[in-house]
Structures are given as C-alpha cells and as structure tokens.
Amino acid sequence: MDGMTVKDKALLMRCVEIARESMKKGNHPFGALLADKDGNILLEQGNEFQEGGSAYHAETLLLLKAARRYSPEELSECTLYSNFEPCCMCTGALYWTNVRRLVFGATEKDLLLFTGDNEENPTFSLSSRDVIAHGQKEIEVLGPTEDKALLSAICSDHADFWKER
C-alpha cells in the first residue's frame, strides 16, 4: 500500500494536468503543486525550460515562490506534490524551505527509463528519500503511487515526449 489518500491521488492527478499544460507551452512535462494541511492548493507550477539550461524545474520554481510568500512554520505544515519524484536539486529546495511532506507519482528511476541520456534531462540515479536521509529534518515521503491508472496518466506524456527530443 502506498499510503496515499484519495485527496493525495486527486492532487497528483492535478500535477499531471499541470505537466500537460507545461508541455503545451513547449516545456518539459513536469508539474508540481503545494497544498496546505487540509489539501487546499496554495501554488501550482509547471516546468519552464529556458534558454541556457533546464534547471527551471517545476518543484524548485514552486518552492522558491512559496518561500517568498509563506514562513518556514507555515511551510512545515504543507505538502509538495509532483508527478515525478523530485530530483536532488528539488528535494534540496523542499528541505531548505521547510516543507515536511512530499507526495510523488512515479520515481526518478521510472523517469530515467524515458529520458535515457537526453542532455535536456540528465536524470540522477538518486532518490529523494536518500537525499532526505542525509539531512537533519523529518520529512514524510509518499510515492510512488500504486494506482495503475494514475501511474499510466503520469507516464503517458513522457513515453513519446523524450523519444522526440
């Protein structure tokens, strides 16, 4: 059992929609959102592939915005949702902004199956749990989802996207 609630899965599905919106704008298909302790969406963010690199990940962009709007105490009661497991950079942003809960749909290893050695997304082989384990904060991590329909929705956009790059 992945431990996700119905609300968690609905918010992950919203991340899929955000990722699709991002892809329609010419960006990589990644989406993230920040929700409060009651599951109300506070912020949403898609990837923004910019000239000069792909460091504009949805999760990091979202967390930087969140850090400007909310105190570390407020963020400690929030959850970051992402269609894919955040990379080490994005997990670091989660750690430093004090968000204490992470829910993701598919793993970094799953993503690597799609991206391969694509220079636009040289995927790390490093899980968010491993990054968090080396820190000093307790952060709850749920993911990947075991919901086959949700996982299919998450992965479907990536199956063709990275073949065409």
Side-chain angles (χ1 to χ4, degrees):
M1 184 94 179
D2 58 23
M4 293 182 196
T5 66
V6 171
K7 183 71 168 182
D8 287 334
K9 292 176 183 180
L11 291 171
L12 280 177
M13 192 61 208
R14 177 63 192 135
C15 289
V16 172
E17 294 164 1
I18 296 166
R20 288 181 179 157
E21 293 165 11
S22 181
M23 185 171 58
K24 287 178 185 174
K25 295 176 184 173
N27 298 306
H28 296 164
F30 296 100
L33 66 84
L34 184 71
D36 67 15
K37 63 183 176 184
D38 297 318
N40 300 305
I41 297 172
L42 302 175
L43 294 169
E44 296 182 338
Q45 181 68 53
N47 241 49
E48 293 183 12
F49 187 77
Q50 305 280 333
E51 185 176 325
S54 59
Y56 299 92
H57 294 192
E59 301 91 341
T60 294
L61 290 171
L62 180 139
L63 290 163
L64 291 173
K65 287 178 186 176
R68 287 190 290 271
R69 291 188 186 177
Y70 303 101
S71 71
E73 293 77 23
E74 290 171 309
L75 290 172
S76 73
E77 296 185 348
C78 292
T79 300
L80 173 68
Y81 290 86
S82 182
N83 59 332
F84 272 89
E85 180 176 20
C87 72
C88 56
M89 174 183 72
C90 295
T91 302
L94 173 128
Y95 180 88
W96 289 110
T97 57
N98 207 38
V99 172
R100 297 296 179 102
R101 187 167 184 262
L102 168 63
V103 178
F104 64 86
T107 68
E108 186 84 343
K109 285 184 180 180
D110 293 331
L111 180 60
L112 184 59
L113 295 174
F114 297 114
T115 61
D117 63 353
N118 189 296
E119 65 184 35
E120 286 183 20
N121 196 7
T123 306
F124 276 89
S125 182
L126 182 61
S127 77
S128 58
R129 284 180 175 89
D130 288 340
V131 174
I132 290 167
H134 286 86
Q136 299 178 35
K137 298 179 182 181
E138 284 192 36
I139 299 171
E140 179 184 11
V141 179
L142 296 177
T145 183
E146 294 176 358
D147 182 313
K148 292 186 188 314
L150 178 56
L151 190 58
S152 177
I154 290 166
C155 293
S156 66
D157 295 323
H158 289 263
D160 292 331
F161 181 86
W162 295 105
K163 288 179 187 173
E164 299 169 7
R165 304 304 275 187

